[in-house]
């Protein structure tokens, strides 16, 4: 099963439908990463606001989930679009007043090459299990003067693994690729794919970086 299909499957859809966990990413060795479903389904917190305050121009929220960020931007009259592979996530985002599409970031996207800001929040730098490939894709999505705001894990890690959704009650999805990176690893992946870290900050235990396109021979 593809990663796209895995995110559409229960128990992820069930958690978004109710707005509650528990929900985990589970590796085959038993390691569990708790997913913050309740936070995703609430209004933006102060850490989220620090991201929204740094959004310039038009905004694409990659892996928008239930839509708290893209809905907040829409409420401010900003041009913003969320994309997510989960129909349940997209439906919830639309109910909040957001504009959202059920689509993978690796598919053709509206306004490709013209977005001013792209968001990779809530661990979404891990989409596809290859941060470098995702960052290369982002160079085609944003404008040449655009930026990517990404959230990193708070430890120094550079991990690619196969995971599955787990509801902690025996319900499990099928495996799909994922990645986890801290700021040092993300900085290295960014440099290799034509990005430069222009800012980094931490708030409420969450860590963020802003990436801007570097003028170089690295292909878009």
């Amino acid at each position: 099963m593809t990663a796209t299909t895995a995110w559409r499957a229960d128990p992820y859809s069930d958690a978004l439908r109710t707005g509650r966990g528990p929900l985990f990413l589970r590796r085959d060795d038993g390691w569990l990463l708790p997913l913050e479903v309740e936070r995703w389904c609430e209004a933006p917190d102060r850490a989220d606001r620090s991201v929204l305050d740094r959004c310039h121009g038009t905004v694409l929220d990659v892996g928008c989930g239930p839509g708290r960020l893209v809905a907040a931007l829409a409420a401010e009259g900003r041009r913003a679009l969320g994309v997510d592979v989960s129909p349940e996530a997209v439906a919830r985002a639309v109910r909040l007043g957001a504009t959202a599409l059920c689509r993978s970031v690796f598919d053709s996207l509206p306004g490709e090459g013209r977005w001013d800001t792209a968001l990779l929040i809530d661990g979404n730098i891990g989409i596809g299990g290859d941060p470098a490939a995702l960052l290369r894709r982002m160079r085609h999505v944003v404008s040449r003067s655009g930026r990517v705001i990404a959230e990193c894990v708070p430890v120094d890690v550079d991990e690619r693994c196969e995971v599955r959704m787990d509801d902690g009650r025996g319900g499990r999805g099928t495996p799909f690729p994922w990645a986890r990176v801290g700021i040092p690893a993300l900085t290295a992946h960014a440099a290799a794919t034509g990005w430069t870290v222009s800012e980094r900050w931490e708030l409420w235990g969450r860590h963020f970086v802003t990436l801007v396109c570097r003028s170089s021979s690295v292909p878009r």
Side-chain angles (χ1 to χ4, degrees):
M1 178 179 284
T2 66
T4 297
T5 307
W7 282 92
R8 291 177 177 175
D10 295 337
Y12 180 65
S13 296
D14 289 342
L16 290 189
R17 196 171 294 117
T18 63
R20 299 191 304 274
L23 187 67
F24 306 90
L25 290 182
R26 180 187 183 96
R27 288 193 315 224
D28 286 343
D29 63 6
W31 176 89
L32 293 173
L33 174 67
L35 300 178
E36 299 180 83
V37 177
E38 290 85 355
R39 180 173 66 78
W40 297 348
C41 293
E42 294 173 353
D45 60 20
R46 281 184 58 201
D48 293 329
R49 282 291 169 186
S50 75
V51 170
L52 297 175
D53 289 345
R54 289 167 168 84
C55 289
H56 289 187
T58 58
V59 183
L60 180 72
D61 187 358
V62 177
C64 68
R68 74 188 189 283
L69 300 181
V70 70
L73 290 165
E76 295 171 1
R78 307 281 296 277
R79 183 188 166 199
L81 173 67
V83 293
D84 201 288
V85 296
S86 165
E88 185 63 36
V90 169
R92 187 160 183 148
V94 170
R95 288 196 296 270
L96 286 179
T99 300
L101 294 176
C102 190
R103 194 168 300 181
S104 167
V105 65
F106 294 104
D107 293 336
S108 178
L109 298 173
E112 194 160 313
R114 299 193 299 275
W115 293 99
D116 298 307
T117 305
L119 302 180
L120 293 169
I121 308 301
D122 300 326
N124 285 337
I125 189 65
I127 289 173
D130 186 342
L134 181 57
L135 290 174
R136 282 193 294 270
R137 172 61 178 143
M138 289 296 97
R139 285 179 60 85
H140 291 274
V141 170
V142 303
S143 68
R144 290 189 178 274
S145 60
R147 60 178 55 190
V148 170
I149 303 176
E151 183 172 357
C152 305
V153 298
V155 294
D156 186 1
V157 64
D158 189 4
E159 177 186 50
R160 291 152 196 74
C161 56
E162 190 171 75
V163 297
R164 65 181 72 211
M165 294 291 174
D166 188 314
D167 66 7
R169 300 182 295 269
R172 297 183 186 177
T174 53
F176 62 96
W178 195 247
R180 296 170 66 240
V181 295
I183 287 179
L186 180 54
T187 300
H189 290 306
T193 53
W195 298 94
T196 297
V197 175
S198 66
E199 184 182 12
R200 50 187 289 182
W201 74 100
E202 179 269 334
L203 190 60
W204 285 8
R206 295 170 63 192
H207 294 250
F208 306 95
V209 299
T210 298
L211 306 175
V212 295
C213 292
R214 186 179 72 241
S215 296
S216 73
S217 60
V218 177
R220 281 169 60 90

